[in-house]
Amino acid sequence: MITLTPLEKKIGGGGRMETSPIPVLTVQTAPFDDQRPGTSGLRRKTAVFEGKKNYLQNYIQSLLSSIDLRDRQGCTMVVGSDGRYFSRAATEVIVQMAAANGIGRLVIGHNGLLSTPAVSCIIRKIKAIGGIILTASHSPGGPVGDFGIKFNVANGGPSPDTVMEKISQVSRTLEEYAICPDLRIDLSRLGRQEFDLENKFKPFRVEIIDSVEVYLQMLRNIFDFSAIKSLLTGPDQLKLHIDAMNGVMGPYVRRILCDELGAPANSAVNCVPLEDFGGQPPEPNLTYASSLVDAMKGGDFGFGAAFDADGDRYMILGENGFFVNPSDSLAVMAANLAAIPYFRQQGVKGFARSMATSTALDRVAKAMKLALYETPAGWRYFGNLMDSGRCSLCGEESFGTGSDHIREKDGLWSVLMWLSIMAARKQTVEQIVREHWAKFGRHYYCRFDYEALDPRVAFYLMRDLEAIIIDKAFMSQRFSVGDHVYSVEKSENFEYVDPVDGTVARNQVSANVALPQ
């Protein structure tokens, strides 16, 4: 049953009819000067979105206004969240403002939940104009945690720089926003809800869909599910330990790995999405997924994985806690694409990695005689390469890996890649990685996450670091580490010219060192 407020009008279905359309209001506001989205949308402390009057509304209006009015009227958008605190309240505001701004249909995950890969999948499947994802990825949740809003465009990928700049421009001069404050939806009820509004637009429609089903259908067409199921249920059953870290991935892990592929229900832990993710950052690394690490070190499980809050990143562990770093994981996938039906059918066009990712993928690309693209940090740079047919597989140093099946990094897809490779090669995680090292060499890289830095200190640190990196004297310097001596092979302030549209991205400092032969 769909509960209707006195102002709502149910269209069709023989339901009760109300004669009063829902009013559309224009609310006066003042602009904020800090609403330019970054690499992963707009992220702030939850208290900023929740406590600053009109902060959320201003940003949503800026986002909606960045879409040309002719494209916006009657279009379809997707909305989902990782389940963190304030997501339900924000979803209600988004629905009310989308209706007032002429959006014709919203497709929303059950209880507001959709993983980032699922949003990308659905946008592409239904040809939506884009999607809004409420997530701050691996950042803490809860009232004192973080909140974020991402806007993915019509190809299913993150907003390019041009879209982010347009949102920013609107936000700096915004004086009013449109909203239907009396419009109410029930996120817990699957199905269609329709509303009559006091404007010239057609009736506004909201569809609450199963959060997993469309994404699951896509995965069935990519992988050999019977081979994976045999690996997880056969006589030499591979025992899994999967940690959803109380983010959005719980329902996906239960439905796909357990119900569909046969892993025992106790293979998956922390599968109930919580607003504060159980009180810890939903970050799939050796620090925050320490309970997974401990469980794997016991030797009872042959494969372990953890996911971040919105399901686009992952971590892989083998038996006895054998850790696969993100760059090696990407390279191993690239070297074993023949194990995946999707790639056997579609072919492999090329690879791409972020500049911060190790050169392990480069070795595989060279061996396979395929193009390798090095991009700035930010998943949006992979989108142009995939849309133009240049790239089939891509990844970054923070455990984001994906392919041209969607336009986002995809954590569960990555886990199924690994399980498919294990099923095909009949080897353990460690055996696969060590054989890869023996064939292609071993690559190292460093990633440091700095939190709560003073922006001024960060500015001067990066300025001084850049001065060192680009100094000619730095080139060919040697550094001793234990018994090894390393020399600087390349250092630069990284600049990227997009081979598709010619746009230029600058100012990402990097350095490569090599062990002398």
Side-chain angles (χ1 to χ4, degrees):
M1 175 182 287
I2 298 173
T3 303
L4 305 175
T5 71
L7 290 177
E8 292 172 9
K9 181 179 179 182
K10 179 76 166 60
I11 310 296
R16 175 171 65 90
M17 302 292 287
E18 295 289 344
T19 58
S20 300
I22 300 173
V24 177
L25 303 183
T26 299
V27 180
Q28 301 302 305
T29 189
F32 295 93
D33 61 5
D34 65 343
Q35 292 199 332
R36 190 190 194 286
T39 301
S40 298
L42 183 70
R43 289 188 191 175
R44 296 287 181 267
K45 286 295 181 184
T46 306
V48 174
F49 282 102
E50 188 176 30
K52 275 192 177 183
K53 184 179 179 182
N54 293 339
Y55 194 86
L56 171 66
Q57 289 85 346
N58 274 31
Y59 188 70
I60 297 302
Q61 185 62 63
S62 300
L63 188 159
L64 294 172
S65 295
S66 73
I67 306 170
D68 188 274
L69 183 60
R70 290 168 297 181
D71 297 328
R72 194 165 74 224
Q73 290 183 1
C75 75
T76 296
M77 291 186 70
V78 181
V79 179
S81 80
D82 62 15
R84 68 181 57 235
Y85 177 80
F86 193 57
S87 292
R88 280 183 171 267
T91 299
E92 183 172 84
V93 170
I94 290 168
V95 172
Q96 294 169 345
M97 294 186 66
N101 279 274
I103 304 296
R105 176 173 69 142
L106 290 183
V107 175
I108 306 176
H110 191 216
N111 293 316
L113 299 175
L114 279 176
S115 73
T116 290
V119 170
S120 183
C121 169
I122 294 166
I123 289 173
R124 296 172 65 81
K125 175 79 173 179
I126 66 175
K127 295 179 170 55
I129 199 169
I132 298 174
I133 312 170
L134 304 178
T135 180
S137 186
H138 60 279
S139 299
V144 298
D146 295 342
F147 192 77
I149 303 173
K150 285 179 57 175
F151 178 49
N152 282 29
V153 292
N155 74 344
S159 298
D161 291 338
T162 52
V163 173
M164 293 194 293
E165 182 55 35
K166 193 169 184 180
I167 293 172
S168 179
Q169 289 176 356
V170 175
S171 75
R172 292 195 296 267
T173 58
L174 193 70
E175 295 181 348
E176 61 185 27
Y177 63 84
I179 192 167
C180 298
D182 294 326
L183 195 158
R184 298 286 184 271
I185 61 166
D186 185 352
L187 292 173
S188 68
R189 298 289 183 181
L190 294 171
R192 186 165 66 183
Q193 304 168 45
E194 293 186 329
F195 308 90
D196 190 18
L197 310 179
E198 270 187 356
N199 60 19
K200 61 184 177 181
F201 304 122
K202 295 178 181 179
F204 175 65
R205 184 169 70 191
V206 175
E207 294 180 23
I208 309 300
I209 64 168
D210 184 296
S211 301
V212 181
E213 185 59 32
V214 176
Y215 177 73
L216 170 56
Q217 289 175 5
M218 176 189 69
L219 294 179
R220 288 192 185 113
N221 293 324
I222 294 174
F223 298 101
D224 182 347
F225 269 28
S226 62
I228 300 174
K229 189 168 186 176
S230 295
L231 178 71
L232 302 183
T233 61
D236 298 320
Q237 173 188 1
L238 177 68
K239 295 185 66 177
L240 307 183
H241 193 69
I242 309 296
D243 191 345
M245 301 196 81
N246 296 119
V248 76
M249 288 309 293
Y252 294 84
V253 169
R254 291 282 192 204
R255 178 89 163 270
I256 297 172
L257 288 178
C258 299
D259 297 347
E260 184 84 9
L261 294 172
N266 62 4
S267 300
V269 298
N270 298 321
C271 285
V272 178
L274 299 176
E275 290 189 336
D276 66 348
F277 309 116
Q280 68 174 5
E283 171 70 282
N285 62 24
L286 297 173
T287 299
Y288 293 115
S290 57
S291 60
L292 171 68
V293 176
D294 292 341
M296 294 301 298
K297 284 181 177 177
D300 295 329
F301 304 99
F303 183 90
F307 302 100
D308 68 343
D310 63 321
D312 61 358
R313 295 190 300 112
Y314 67 104
M315 176 176 71
I316 299 293
L317 295 175
E319 190 174 1
N320 300 316
F322 182 85
F323 172 66
V324 186
N325 79 51
S327 296
D328 282 346
S329 181
L330 173 64
V332 167
M333 290 182 195
N336 290 277
L337 291 182
I340 313 302
Y342 175 86
F343 293 105
R344 292 200 299 268
Q345 296 160 7
Q346 300 290 326
V348 183
K349 301 147 190 167
F351 301 131
R353 62 168 176 83
S354 68
M355 48 78 70
T357 304
S358 87
T359 55
L361 181 65
D362 304 41
R363 292 287 185 91
V364 178
K366 184 177 181 180
M368 296 176 68
K369 298 181 179 179
L370 292 170
L372 185 285
Y373 299 91
E374 184 182 14
T375 70
W379 202 261
R380 64 190 182 277
Y381 294 105
F382 296 132
N384 268 2
L385 297 174
M386 290 188 283
D387 287 345
S388 65
R390 287 171 166 84
C391 174
S392 296
L393 181 78
C394 52
E396 58 189 15
E397 88 293 341
S398 60
F399 257 138
T401 309
S403 84
D404 57 0
H405 68 292
I406 55 174
R407 295 297 181 269
E408 277 283 3
K409 42 189 177 279
D410 193 341
L412 186 51
W413 171 90
S414 300
V415 165
L416 294 179
M417 286 284 289
W418 266 95
L419 293 177
S420 298
I421 293 167
M422 293 175 74
R425 295 183 54 153
K426 296 179 171 49
Q427 290 179 305
T428 67
V429 170
E430 184 172 355
Q431 287 171 338
I432 291 169
V433 173
R434 291 195 180 280
E435 282 196 12
H436 183 91
W437 289 341
K439 182 176 181 179
F440 294 102
R442 189 169 183 180
H443 298 75
Y444 297 86
Y445 72 103
C446 293
R447 172 190 166 96
F448 296 98
D449 292 318
Y450 297 97
E451 299 176 0
L453 279 181
D454 182 328
R456 293 169 299 178
V457 173
F459 170 81
Y460 289 118
L461 184 151
M462 292 306 297
R463 185 196 64 180
D464 295 345
L465 177 62
E466 180 182 2
I468 294 172
I469 290 290
I470 65 176
D471 190 331
K472 290 182 179 179
F474 185 68
M475 292 297 296
S476 300
Q477 279 198 31
R478 292 172 176 259
F479 299 90
S480 297
V481 181
D483 297 331
H484 299 296
V485 178
Y486 296 86
S487 65
V488 178
E489 185 177 81
K490 177 183 177 183
S491 62
E492 63 182 334
N493 188 336
F494 183 72
E495 179 176 296
Y496 177 70
V497 180
D498 193 302
V500 180
D501 59 22
T503 55
V504 180
R506 297 184 174 91
N507 296 323
Q508 297 199 32
V509 175
S510 71
N512 295 336
V513 296
L515 182 65
Q517 299 298 316

